[in-house]
DNA sequence: GTCCCGGCTT
DNA sequence: AAGCCAGGAC
């Protein structure tokens, strides 16, 4: 059992001052923070989020930006498909929801890039609804304090029910949820929990003498040398160029394994993060399009700024990925 | 289940 | 060198 009073009292004094928790932050801005925080630590998100919401404070403002500029602003946060989905999400909200982030969990779930966690996080933190918000931190805290296990099993629908049963019945449910996440992030951490600083009077894991994990150790998720790193290198080249670049400029970004490089480039084309111009060069998807993916494209006659290399209808790559491993 | 990112901590 | 992130789509 986790008693709301002790958790809320702890949170009142120990919470981190995170900008998306401050008063006056809009539902859209909270949604942006949740996209960025998917699998990405708070410290890396904070500066990007601050720049982002100052530049594009609303869904329609985000939708009006080009996909390429969105990818540039995303920088090296990682998982750039999130940036594309956020841009798509902004477009859907602007066009189909009158520029207002939906409040209903099921409607939120229908948005691009919004899954079980993010939908409920927005419903709870932006709209103060009493819905269970379950991320990796919450699952770990519940596994320990409630079930006496060192760490959580794979995510299931049961997790939502577990947390729903813990939520206080009154309007403090959102604070309880954010406090649970905060506890997992700063005290009940995965590797070196600081149990001496834990505000919970009762913890099943502690009561049972901190039994070791029964789960097999997770396979290490490497980064160096993976396709993900190669994709990052290629995108880094394109982020630094306002104009389409020649193939050779991408080739020099990764020379240790040319087949892997080709596979990474192909996957970026498939993901819609990169596009090929009619003359065979490469650019960030939506480069030069400042009206969003659904918006009207500028006609050639209107484009007199001289910074556009020409029409670039998206071209699908034709070579096969060449699976291996 | 697999893939997707990157910087930081330990 | 490896673990660790406020997950989602397939």
């Amino acid at each position: 059992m986790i008693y709301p009073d002790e958790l809320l009292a702890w949170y009142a004094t120990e919470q981190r001052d995170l900008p998306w928790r401050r008063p006056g932050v809009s539902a859209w801005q909270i949604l942006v923070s949740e996209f960025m925080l998917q699998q990405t630590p708070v410290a890396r998100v904070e500066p990007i989020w601050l720049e982002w919401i100052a530049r594009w404070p609303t869904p329609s403002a985000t939708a009006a930006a080009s996909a390429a500029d969105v990818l540039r602003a995303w920088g090296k946060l990682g998982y750039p498909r999130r940036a594309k989905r956020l841009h798509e999400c902004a477009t859907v909200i602007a066009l189909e929801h009158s520029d207002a982030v939906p409040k209903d969990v099921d409607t939120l779930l229908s948005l691009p890039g919004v899954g079980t966690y993010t939908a409920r996080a927005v419903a709870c933190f932006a709209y103060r609804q009493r819905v269970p918000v379950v991320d990796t931190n919450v699952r770990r805290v519940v596994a320990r304090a409630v079930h006496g296990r060192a760490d959580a099993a794979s995510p299931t629908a049961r997790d939502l029910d577990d947390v729903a049963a813990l939520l206080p019945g009154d309007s403090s449910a959102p604070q309880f949820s954010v406090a649970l996440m905060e506890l997992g992030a700063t005290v009940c951490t995965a590797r070196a929990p600081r149990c001496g600083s834990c505000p919970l009077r009762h913890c099943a894991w502690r009561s049972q003498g901190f039994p070791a994990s029964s789960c097999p150790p997770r396979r290490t998720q490497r980064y160096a040398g993976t396709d993900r790193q190669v994709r990052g290198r290629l995108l880094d080249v394109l982020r630094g160029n306002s104009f389409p670049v020649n193939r050779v400029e991408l080739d020099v970004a990764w020379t240790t394994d040319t087949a892997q490089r080709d596979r990474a480039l192909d996957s970026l084309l498939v993901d819609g993060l990169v596009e090929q111009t009619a003359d065979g060069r490469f650019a960030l998807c939506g480069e030069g399009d400042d009206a969003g993916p659904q918006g009207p494209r500028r006609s050639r006659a209107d484009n007199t700024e001289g910074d556009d290399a020409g029409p670039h209808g998206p071209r699908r790559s034709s070579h096969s990925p060449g699976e291996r491993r």
Side-chain angles (χ1 to χ4, degrees):
Chain A
M1 187 58 188
I2 297 175
Y3 298 97
D5 288 351
E6 57 193 9
L7 184 60
L8 292 170
W10 168 82
Y11 182 72
T13 60
E14 302 301 322
Q15 64 175 281
R16 292 168 295 177
D17 176 29
L18 303 181
W20 42 86
R21 290 178 181 169
R22 293 172 190 160
V25 177
S26 71
W28 169 251
Q29 292 161 359
I30 289 173
L31 178 55
V32 171
S33 78
E34 296 298 348
F35 265 80
M36 293 181 174
L37 288 162
Q38 291 167 3
Q39 297 289 284
T40 306
V42 162
R44 293 180 52 208
V45 166
E46 194 164 343
I48 304 291
W49 183 84
L50 288 170
E51 294 174 25
W52 192 289
I53 61 126
R55 183 176 182 183
W56 299 308
T58 63
S60 54
T62 312
S66 71
D69 282 344
V70 165
L71 279 171
R72 280 200 185 84
W74 194 262
K76 294 193 175 186
L77 266 189
Y79 297 122
R81 292 188 296 193
R82 291 183 294 168
K84 179 179 172 61
R85 289 172 187 149
L86 179 57
H87 193 217
E88 294 166 353
C89 184
T91 302
V92 171
I93 293 173
L95 296 181
E96 300 180 15
H97 300 283
S98 307
D99 216 18
V101 176
K103 299 182 178 180
D104 178 66
V105 168
D106 289 330
T107 308
L108 286 162
L109 283 169
S110 73
L111 298 171
V114 176
T116 304
Y117 165 77
T118 304
R120 287 169 179 79
V122 170
C124 177
F125 302 141
Y127 294 122
R128 321 306 298 172
Q129 295 178 62
R130 187 180 175 277
V131 294
V133 182
V134 181
D135 71 338
T136 185
N137 286 317
V138 170
R139 293 195 306 112
R140 184 176 56 251
V141 172
V142 172
R144 289 174 178 168
V146 178
H147 300 301
R149 293 194 287 264
D151 40 37
S154 311
T156 67
R158 272 294 304 273
D159 299 332
L160 288 178
D161 296 332
D162 280 354
V163 174
L166 293 171
L167 290 181
D170 60 14
S171 61
S172 68
Q175 282 288 91
F176 180 86
S177 281
V178 73
L180 211 50
M181 293 173 61
E182 187 80 343
L183 188 69
T186 64
V187 175
C188 195
T189 57
R191 194 155 38 176
R194 298 161 41 208
C195 298
S197 303
C198 184
L200 304 186
R201 274 193 308 275
H202 176 69
C203 170
W205 190 42
R206 186 174 60 212
S207 303
Q208 298 170 19
F210 304 106
S213 173
S214 56
C215 306
R218 286 192 330 203
R219 281 220 333 272
T220 166
Q221 192 188 25
R222 288 176 319 285
Y223 176 63
T226 62
D227 288 5
R228 284 154 43 224
Q229 184 182 26
V230 182
R231 283 164 57 104
R233 291 285 179 84
L234 297 176
L235 270 189
D236 208 27
V237 171
L238 297 176
R239 274 194 300 261
N241 285 278
S242 310
F243 303 105
V245 305
N246 291 313
R247 175 63 189 253
V248 64
E249 298 184 62
L250 294 176
D251 288 349
V252 298
W254 190 267
T255 57
T256 55
D257 184 339
T258 57
Q260 184 183 33
R261 180 190 63 212
D262 294 350
R263 185 168 67 245
L265 178 56
D266 190 66
S267 73
L268 289 169
L269 290 161
V270 169
D271 285 348
L273 298 172
V274 173
E275 65 188 9
Q276 195 169 14
T277 62
D279 58 9
R281 291 180 295 165
F282 296 88
L284 292 179
C285 211
E287 190 78 82
D289 180 0
D290 58 2
Q294 313 295 332
R297 298 189 65 87
R298 287 183 294 180
S299 70
R300 295 298 296 159
D302 290 342
N303 181 15
T304 55
E305 292 153 36
D307 64 345
D308 198 324
H312 34 257
R315 278 250 178 121
R316 288 299 302 273
S317 165
S318 56
H319 62 278
S320 79
E323 192 57 45
R324 58 168 211 176
R325 182 168 317 178

